[in-house]
């Protein structure tokens, strides 16, 4: 019974290959070659994960990468009507910088290759993404993930705003801030 539920939960997760690199380790006996895959996993309803996996064969590397990506899932709020994000966000990772801007219904995904794959797997249908800085696929993928993780629901933003206002009022009462 438990196995069936686990199997069904995996059904709606989709994965896509972002990068496929052959790497080598030099040993006493010569070069040992292996594959390094960068994979994105998403459920198309506001959950996305990116990870790197390596192995001697494609199947082993893919399995490792998908397993790691499922562990590193980021959740974010998705506008139900326009299938976009709520506001403009920026994400940085290493030298990679990415700008994500919401777009109206019917626009589609206007983004680079890696960003396009990740946003499609996340379930976003209308968005504009601009990659700045690095051309590294791994860094750009992680920058998109970081940008998506920064989006908050309006309810949470409202409570944060209220909390900040409360702290400012308390600081004014104590005389730390001038009005």
């Amino acid at each position: 019974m438990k196995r069936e539920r686990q199997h069904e939960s995996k059904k709606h997760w989709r994965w896509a290959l972002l990068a496929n690199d052959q790497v080598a380790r030099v040993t006493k006996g010569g070069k040992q070659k292996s594959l390094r895959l960068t994979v994105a996993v998403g459920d198309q309803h506001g959950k996305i994960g990116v990870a790197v996996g390596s192995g001697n064969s494609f199947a082993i590397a893919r399995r490792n990468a998908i397993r790691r990506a499922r562990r590193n899932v980021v959740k974010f709020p998705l506008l139900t009507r326009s299938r976009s994000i709520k506001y403009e966000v920026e994400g940085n990772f290493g030298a990679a910088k990415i700008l994500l801007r919401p777009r109206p219904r019917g626009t589609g995904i206007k983004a680079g290759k890696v960003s396009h794959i990740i946003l499609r797997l996340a379930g976003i249908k209308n968005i504009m993404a601009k990659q700045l800085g690095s051309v590294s696929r791994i860094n750009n993928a992680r920058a998109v993930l970081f940008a998506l993780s920064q989006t908050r629901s309006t309810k949470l933003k409202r409570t944060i705003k209220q909390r900040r206002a409360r702290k400012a009022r308390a600081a004014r009462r104590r005389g730390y801030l001038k009005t």
Side-chain angles (χ1 to χ4, degrees):
M1 177 102 169
K2 191 174 183 180
R3 226 179 236 174
E4 288 173 15
R5 270 189 268 137
Q6 243 180 358
H7 182 68
E8 281 188 13
S9 69
K10 286 183 182 179
K11 273 186 184 176
H12 62 274
W13 286 87
R14 305 218 169 148
W15 68 275
L17 186 64
L18 301 177
N20 180 6
D21 303 311
Q22 189 174 15
V23 293
R25 182 174 69 230
V26 180
T27 61
K28 190 172 153 184
K31 291 181 182 177
Q32 284 189 343
K33 293 184 178 173
S34 64
L35 289 172
R36 184 182 68 184
L37 303 181
T38 307
V39 171
V41 175
D43 72 342
Q44 297 186 331
H45 294 290
K47 292 179 187 172
I48 186 77
V50 173
V52 177
S54 58
N56 292 333
S57 70
F58 185 85
I60 294 169
R62 184 187 68 193
R63 186 179 62 227
N64 291 341
I66 291 173
R67 189 182 304 137
R68 285 182 184 162
R70 290 281 309 265
R71 279 191 220 138
N72 303 326
V73 169
V74 171
K75 288 171 69 173
F76 64 94
L78 196 61
L79 287 177
T80 54
R81 200 140 190 236
S82 64
R83 301 289 286 182
S84 186
I85 56 176
K86 296 185 183 214
Y87 49 88
E88 185 176 326
V89 287
E90 184 180 304
N92 296 315
F93 190 87
K97 182 178 179 182
I98 191 123
L99 297 170
L100 299 178
R101 292 189 178 129
R103 288 289 169 234
R105 208 166 161 194
T107 307
I109 301 173
K110 308 284 187 220
K113 187 178 180 180
V114 171
S115 305
H116 192 282
I117 292 169
I118 291 172
L119 295 169
R120 186 172 39 84
L121 286 173
I124 298 174
K125 297 247 191 300
N126 302 298
I127 196 165
M128 193 275 301
K130 180 67 183 165
Q131 293 176 355
L132 305 166
S134 176
V135 293
S136 165
R137 291 181 192 158
I138 298 171
N139 283 357
N140 278 318
R142 289 184 176 154
V144 172
L145 225 62
F146 182 71
L148 288 174
S149 71
Q150 286 184 325
T151 59
R152 301 276 183 238
S153 67
T154 350
K155 188 177 179 183
L156 183 63
K157 278 183 79 174
R158 202 175 308 126
T159 57
I160 291 170
K161 208 174 190 180
Q162 288 169 349
R163 198 177 306 134
R164 286 181 184 156
R166 214 177 304 133
K167 284 182 181 178
R169 280 195 303 268
R172 272 193 218 102
R173 263 189 262 128
R174 291 186 191 114
Y176 297 129
L177 292 175
K178 293 182 181 177
T179 54

